[in-house]
Amino acid sequence: MRPWGTLGPLLRRLGGMQAGVVVGTLGGAALFGAPAGPVGALLLGLALVAYAAWGLAGRTLRIAPRHEGWAGPAVGAATGLVTALTGVFVVPAVP
């Protein structure tokens, strides 16, 4: 967040993604509830394997700044959904 002069641009850039995370998490929790037992463990395992595979691949994802307006909220909503289903706030936001 520092220097303070860059806070505004940072919030404008990431705000849509963060709002998408909230919407995706609340929507996923309302639609699916909290998975428990074997299904929850399976979904968590799959999310962690996907994240590990991405990290081991060493790939970075680049998106043109002109696409951030729609991609941020979309990735945020997908991340929120994965968070609601697994409890892991990593995939796909971090990659």
Side-chain angles (χ1 to χ4, degrees):
M1 289 179 35
R2 296 193 105 181
W4 293 114
T6 62
L7 182 58
L10 177 66
L11 291 176
R12 281 189 293 281
R13 185 173 184 202
L14 297 179
M17 186 178 81
Q18 295 303 317
V21 169
V22 171
V23 170
T25 302
L26 295 176
L31 287 173
F32 302 110
V39 173
L42 175 66
L43 293 173
L44 175 59
L46 290 173
L48 293 176
V49 167
Y51 181 58
W54 184 270
L56 290 172
R59 307 280 317 257
T60 57
L61 183 61
R62 302 271 184 223
I63 187 165
R66 69 180 185 277
H67 297 301
E68 289 178 359
W70 65 265
V75 170
T79 300
L81 182 60
V82 171
T83 300
L85 294 173
T86 66
V88 174
F89 180 82
V90 175
V91 181
V94 172

